[in-house]
Amino acid sequence: MKIDEAREVRTTCPYCGVGCGVLAKVAADGEITVRGDPDHPANFGRLCSKGSALAETIDLDGRLLYPEIHGRRTGWDEALDLVASTFSQTIAEHGPDAVAFYVSGQLLTEDYYVANKLMKGFIGSANIDTNSRLCMASSVAGHRRAFGSDTVPGSYEDLELADLIVLVGSNLGWCHPVLYQRIAAAREKRPEMKVVLIDPRRTMTADIADMHLAIAADGDVALFTGLLAYLGKNDALDRAYIAAHTTGFEGAIAAASALDLSGIAAATGLGEDELVRFYSLFTATAKTVTVYSQGVNQSCSGTDKVNTIINCHLATGRIGKPGTGPFSVTGQPNAMGGREVGGLANMLAAHMEIENPEHRGRVQRFWSAPAIAKKPGLKAVEMFQAVADGRIRALWIMATNPVDSMPDADAVEAAIKACPFVVVSDVLAMTDTVRHAHVRLPAAAWGEKDGSVTNSERRISRQRAFLATPGEARADWWIIAEVAKLMGFGEAFSHASAADIFAEHAAVSAFENDGARDFDIGAYAGVDAETYEELAPFQWPAPASPSPSRGGSARALSEAKQAGRGGASPTPPRLSRLAAQSSLADPPLKGEGIRFFANGGYYTPDRKARFIAIHPTAHIRTSPDYPLILNTGRVRDHWHTMTRTAKSQRLSQHMAEPFAEIHPLDAQHFAIGDASIVRVSTVHGEVLVRALVTARQRPGSVFVPMHWTDQFSARARVDALVAPITDAISGQPASKNIAARVERFAAAAFGFAVLAERPGSIDADYWSLARCAAGWRLELALEAGRDWPVFAASLFGAGAQGETLAYHDVAGGHHRFARFAGSRLAGALYLAPKPVAVSRSWAVEQLSADHADRRGRLAIVAGRPGGNTVDRGAVVCSCFGVGANQIAEAVRGGCTSVEAIGATLHAGTNCGSCRAEIRTIIEARRLQAAE
């Protein structure tokens, strides 16, 4: 397929771990559109708001297009020579552990594989870790403790087959919206299905829940050890399964019985009646899936949390059967692929163990490697501490932004700045991390990349290129392999394509395996370029030889080749009757996905699962100086550090600035008003964010999203507040339970501006910048006044010549400015002593409008739409740009259901991520009408 011709290409979404199939259509004129792939088994055509907006994020604005050394453009030869020689010299002088790679779940499996091979097999150190350490390392550790392997037992269809879904520490509605919509659709067909949400916050996911347990931070261990004890006391155990397929049950049940019901209530912050209701529902429902995510993993007791959940499923035999099982949903598109290749510091390739001499020898023989790593490397937090104290002297960061995403982020930034040699491979020329690199290497972005990813249900899918690689950007695997060649390892890194690397990855998974290891895709070890191009999504295991317990078929590779042409793969390969995928046109409901452990067969030495005896432990973080608990996380329409989503104006409208959710009682206690600016601080740092007072937040705690960086806000890097406390087993940071305090920021002036051009420096204590249609929107707060005309001119820019209209109420502290360039608005600024009340959506629209009429110009200065102009209000539906005021007006007009709103305004009819918010507006209008 030629890149320069009209085409539609099957690829995979680059956001969360759901792994949705995407059809990217390139028109003859180069216009790009995307839609969900109706044939992909993960999403069956659905996309979330982020996936739907992918075409808006692939421009070249801000791209790093050429290699740079100390900010100077150079060629690849010079840049690669410097990287290779500096790493080689550092290793020669200080040993292999003096260098490190910090990589990412945004990398493709082929990139990950080559990076891991170079570091562990040829440099001879295990100092390669990944930002996936921050999101799912505790799940890996819990799986390995219980199962002997990092195995996710079930499939997405189990979410549709279950009679009870327990969502633990997962805002599925915003963070994995397509899975949320699959559950919602299944529940509409089977209203008897029950959903329980366990989360300190009443997130939008609670919209689908029959029960919301607003658990205290880190109360999960007590909750699920209590559940295990309750199952034992109420004769709800599968004793046959326990006897045949597990060990350690007696110790686990004894430890779980340490707390009585009142003790569990105290540890979880829940009422005893709530506990009994939940425990009774779990006990009575055989087909139960427990879905968990960052609220479980991001904890100093994350691994224990995972194992308390697994203990309950082992005790009831609810694992490996349709509609059952513990289910970890990953946060990144290829966190699972990174686990498969051994991309974590404590793992080897193909789920082998770095601590196991037999496994080390096997990998070394397969790679013909000179110096296999003999011990685990430094995990993410340890790695940057080693950078800080000088143990690591050369660091290569790939496809991630640790200055914003790591805990104790200010200390991480200081460590990177002081490191003697820092290389960053990225797609953007300026991020908070890239700015500190000595060498900047331009990497290919989504749409240009070619490789594979693995989603949360073990399904491997292709990411295919549909755009030409711009400038001199290159694939990450190519960059790594070229450095490896220059370091003297050319023969082992002579791969000509991503297909070659995938074939090697598949081969090592099958090497001396014979069913001893869970990860086996040996059926694809002989994949050639043509077959790889046509590869359809498939779940592992896919061994070359059939196995009654694992599925697999010698025909898998040839069937994959026949599955489709040119990336259009309507039917995945049939692996066996057990492993077959049902029709892609209709979500499967027959329980035919590949599952593990229904009949045992664990990957421990005795092939039995291990119960883990866990004692609940209190984690008191608060103090009189820091009386609140800070919780961090994601919002609906942004992703990680916004390097992609901030390019989209529609994704930037739903939550346009950083905020802190605060319960009304806490807001009253700390004299904080809604929409005021607050300082959230811990012993490690502080941020300035907008206050969002809401009863959805648990009293005594505050939630701040993780996305905002120095590129988009003045002081909102919330991970600078997070302590470098980690789980002792997994090494995953505890990002959900941080002692904090909140204070009102004493602003003398608040501001809001719309600007046709992005401003340069912004002289304000608080600012937050977001794209909007035809320009930018800017929120402001200042501790002291300014020369306001000069301030306005600095925002509008020196090049914005034309007429300026202004209004001043000096006594009241109100000032407004509007500058016009011809008939277009160059910028408008509104200042007030309180949060500015001007309609944001209306003001943003003025950047696109014609303003030849003077009356219209005066309306902009007034900050009010004309009498016939509709103020949409805050954006609720990003897909169709529908605002809260429009929805409220439709409710007043008789639309009393989400479906009726969809029929009238289209809101909620595309990705469905906003349906919970629409229902909230409907309910609020009903309450107002009742009053």
Side-chain angles (χ1 to χ4, degrees):
M1 179 184 296
K2 294 182 179 180
I3 290 294
D4 58 353
E5 63 184 19
R7 61 211 172 274
E8 188 169 63
V9 175
R10 292 180 187 270
T11 185
T12 309
C13 181
Y15 288 118
C16 75
V18 176
C20 294
V22 174
L23 293 175
K25 185 175 184 179
V26 185
D29 64 359
E31 181 184 4
I32 311 292
T33 56
V34 300
R35 62 188 178 97
D37 184 350
D39 293 334
H40 196 288
N43 59 313
F44 300 102
R46 297 181 180 94
L47 288 179
C48 71
S49 57
K50 293 184 289 291
S52 297
L54 275 167
E56 300 171 22
T57 68
I58 54 178
D59 60 65
L60 299 184
D61 184 30
R63 282 293 297 271
L64 179 63
L65 297 175
Y66 305 96
E68 295 179 3
I69 297 176
H70 298 294
R72 169 182 59 85
R73 177 177 169 178
T74 187
W76 274 108
D77 288 347
E78 183 184 7
L80 295 173
D81 280 343
L82 179 60
V83 174
S85 62
T86 304
F87 268 75
S88 295
Q89 182 178 351
T90 303
I91 293 165
E93 294 178 359
H94 303 282
D97 288 336
V99 301
F101 295 167
Y102 186 63
V103 298
S104 165
Q106 297 287 299
L107 292 176
L108 303 184
T109 296
E110 293 75 10
D111 307 322
Y112 248 134
Y113 180 86
V114 175
N116 187 60
K117 179 180 178 181
L118 174 57
M119 180 56 75
K120 290 194 177 122
F122 290 80
I123 291 175
S125 170
N127 280 350
I128 174 172
D129 211 44
T130 166
N131 62 7
S132 300
R133 177 73 59 188
L134 313 182
C135 77
M136 54 70 210
S138 293
S139 288
V140 175
H143 289 161
R144 292 175 71 180
R145 282 209 297 184
F147 307 148
S149 60
D150 177 23
T151 311
V152 175
S155 298
Y156 289 160
E157 63 192 25
D158 292 319
L159 304 177
E160 296 158 327
L161 295 168
D163 294 325
L164 171 63
I165 295 175
V166 183
L167 302 173
V168 192
S170 170
N171 186 5
L172 206 68
W174 277 16
C175 299
H176 301 90
V178 168
L179 292 186
Y180 176 86
Q181 293 303 327
R182 286 185 65 164
I183 294 170
R187 196 173 182 200
E188 287 182 7
K189 295 177 182 177
R190 294 192 300 120
E192 66 275 15
M193 177 192 287
K194 301 295 183 186
V195 178
V196 176
L197 174 66
I198 301 170
D199 196 310
R201 303 165 61 217
R202 186 171 180 82
T203 64
M204 287 300 169
T205 302
D207 181 64
I208 201 175
D210 299 279
M211 185 187 308
H212 171 223
L213 302 179
I215 194 167
D218 285 334
D220 311 83
V221 169
L223 179 68
F224 283 94
T225 54
L227 173 58
L228 181 63
Y230 186 93
L231 293 167
K233 291 174 183 176
N234 288 273
D235 197 26
L237 304 174
D238 187 335
R239 295 194 178 276
Y241 190 91
I242 292 170
H245 303 305
T246 74
T247 61
F249 173 73
E250 295 302 328
I253 196 77
S257 302
L259 292 179
D260 60 15
L261 194 62
S262 64
I264 298 168
T268 59
L270 301 172
E272 293 185 21
D273 57 334
E274 291 180 293
L275 292 169
V276 171
R277 283 175 57 215
F278 169 56
Y279 289 172
S280 299
L281 182 60
F282 191 102
T283 299
T285 312
K287 295 176 73 172
T288 297
V289 175
T290 304
V291 178
Y292 62 91
S293 191
Q294 313 306 5
V296 167
N297 294 328
Q298 291 180 335
S299 167
C300 65
S301 57
T303 305
D304 282 351
K305 291 182 182 184
V306 171
N307 285 115
T308 59
I309 292 169
I310 291 174
N311 281 351
C312 293
H313 282 271
L314 292 175
T316 53
R318 298 174 187 174
I319 189 168
K321 304 168 187 173
T324 70
F327 205 128
S328 162
V329 289
T330 54
Q332 293 197 82
N334 203 31
M336 291 283 280
R339 289 148 72 171
E340 292 160 9
V341 305
L344 291 161
N346 56 318
M347 300 174 71
L348 276 180
H351 282 194
M352 285 182 270
E353 300 170 0
I354 201 167
E355 304 91 343
N356 187 319
E358 182 182 345
H359 289 187
R360 291 199 304 271
R362 180 179 296 127
V363 174
Q364 185 169 16
R365 280 185 285 108
F366 183 89
W367 281 342
S368 298
I372 198 78
K374 293 181 171 57
K375 66 181 189 299
L378 297 173
K379 299 167 186 172
V381 170
E382 300 168 330
M383 179 181 289
F384 285 99
Q385 290 170 342
V387 173
D389 65 27
R391 284 175 289 155
I392 290 175
R393 304 180 63 82
L395 174 67
W396 190 348
I397 299 168
M398 307 177 198
T400 186
N401 198 4
V403 167
D404 297 318
S405 58
M406 282 291 296
D408 200 10
D410 285 345
V412 169
E413 181 169 33
I416 292 172
K417 288 171 69 174
C419 186
F421 189 65
V422 176
V423 182
V424 176
S425 304
D426 210 315
V427 301
L428 291 184
M430 182 54 67
T431 70
D432 291 354
T433 298
V434 169
R435 63 190 177 189
H436 301 304
H438 301 103
V439 180
R440 302 175 184 178
L441 302 177
W446 183 83
E448 304 151 12
K449 286 181 168 186
D450 187 65
S452 63
V453 293
T454 306
N455 73 0
S456 294
E457 64 166 352
R458 294 174 281 105
R459 189 176 301 279
I460 296 173
S461 300
R462 289 275 280 109
Q463 268 195 22
R464 295 180 174 90
F466 55 89
L467 296 170
T469 306
E472 295 180 11
R474 296 289 186 270
D476 287 284
W477 68 262
W478 180 90
I479 300 171
I480 301 160
E482 291 301 303
V483 169
K485 292 173 186 177
L486 292 168
M487 293 179 72
F489 309 127
E491 184 177 351
F493 293 87
S494 58
H495 313 94
S497 67
D500 288 351
I501 301 168
F502 186 83
E504 183 177 317
H505 167 54
V508 73
S509 77
F511 185 57
E512 298 178 359
N513 190 336
D514 233 5
R517 305 191 303 274
D518 64 334
F519 180 66
D520 185 347
I521 56 170
Y524 298 90
V527 72
D528 58 22
E530 180 185 5
T531 306
Y532 183 73
E533 174 59 28
E534 299 159 359
L535 194 67
F538 70 94
Q539 272 186 300
W540 62 261
S545 300
S547 164
S549 64
R550 288 154 47 89
S553 167
R555 300 191 307 274
L557 187 59
S558 63
E559 289 177 345
K561 189 171 182 177
Q562 297 301 317
R565 288 289 181 264
S569 307
T571 309
R574 298 296 196 263
L575 298 180
S576 71
R577 183 191 62 78
L578 176 70
Q581 310 301 305
S582 59
S583 169
L584 298 183
D586 187 34
L589 289 175
K590 297 181 180 180
E592 295 180 339
I594 303 175
R595 298 179 179 85
F596 284 85
F597 309 141
N599 299 306
Y602 293 92
Y603 293 93
T604 56
D606 61 4
R607 305 293 283 188
K608 293 186 176 184
R610 303 185 191 99
F611 279 94
I612 307 299
I614 297 168
H615 300 270
T617 305
H619 300 285
I620 307 294
R621 304 265 186 243
T622 56
S623 68
D625 289 334
Y626 296 96
L628 300 176
I629 292 170
L630 171 63
N631 177 12
T632 66
R634 295 177 177 170
V635 300
R636 191 189 76 189
D637 290 354
H638 274 310
W639 171 254
H640 282 197
T641 59
M642 294 166 52
T643 50
R644 181 183 289 117
T645 53
K647 285 176 167 283
S648 167
Q649 62 87 14
R650 64 169 153 143
L651 294 180
S652 299
Q653 301 311 298
H654 181 242
M655 295 290 186
E657 61 183 319
F659 62 90
E661 282 188 359
I662 306 169
H663 191 274
L665 293 176
D666 294 321
Q668 182 180 23
H669 177 76
F670 294 106
I672 293 168
D674 200 15
S676 61
I677 303 300
V678 294
R679 177 182 287 107
V680 183
S681 56
T682 71
V683 295
H684 292 278
E686 64 178 44
V687 293
L688 291 178
V689 294
R690 184 79 66 178
L692 177 57
V693 179
T694 173
R696 288 180 171 272
Q697 182 63 39
R698 180 184 169 88
S701 60
V702 58
F703 171 83
V704 179
M706 60 165 285
H707 308 290
W708 276 266
T709 71
D710 287 351
Q711 308 301 311
F712 297 101
S713 194
R715 293 157 66 186
R717 292 169 48 248
V718 72
D719 278 308
L721 279 61
V722 178
I725 297 171
T726 62
D727 180 283
I729 300 167
S730 71
Q732 181 157 359
S735 301
K736 302 287 188 182
N737 185 0
I738 307 111
R741 64 172 173 245
V742 177
E743 308 159 89
R744 184 175 63 85
F745 174 71
F750 293 83
F752 172 71
V754 291
L755 306 163
E757 301 292 335
R758 178 169 180 153
S761 60
I762 302 170
D763 179 23
D765 301 285
Y766 169 84
W767 60 263
S768 180
L769 190 66
R771 284 188 189 268
C772 63
W776 300 83
R777 55 183 290 181
L778 176 65
E779 299 285 349
L780 299 156
L782 303 97
E783 198 167 18
R786 301 287 193 275
D787 182 329
W788 296 124
V790 173
F791 182 78
S794 72
L795 296 179
F796 298 155
Q801 302 299 320
E803 181 186 23
T804 299
L805 300 180
Y807 165 85
H808 300 282
D809 173 4
V810 177
H814 295 269
H815 304 270
R816 301 171 194 152
F817 301 85
R819 179 173 292 179
F820 299 88
S823 63
R824 311 297 292 185
L825 178 65
L829 171 64
Y830 305 91
L831 297 156
K834 294 181 179 180
V836 175
V838 68
S839 166
R840 270 58 174 169
S841 60
W842 171 81
V844 161
E845 290 168 357
Q846 304 318 300
L847 290 171
S848 305
D850 183 90
H851 298 288
D853 177 61
R854 188 163 186 82
R855 181 178 297 178
R857 295 187 177 200
L858 293 174
I860 292 175
V861 177
R864 295 190 301 271
N868 296 324
T869 304
V870 176
D871 175 10
R872 291 184 301 159
V875 171
V876 173
C877 175
S878 296
C879 295
F880 294 103
V882 180
N885 292 350
Q886 292 171 286
I887 296 169
E889 183 61 30
V891 175
R892 283 192 292 269
C895 294
T896 58
S897 68
V898 174
E899 291 71 25
I901 294 292
T904 302
L905 301 174
H906 301 296
T909 61
N910 184 36
C911 74
S913 301
C914 62
R915 290 171 66 89
E917 290 169 90
I918 294 170
R919 187 171 286 109
T920 298
I921 295 171
I922 293 170
E923 293 301 323
R925 297 302 306 176
R926 283 178 180 163
L927 288 173
Q928 289 178 10
E931 292 172 357

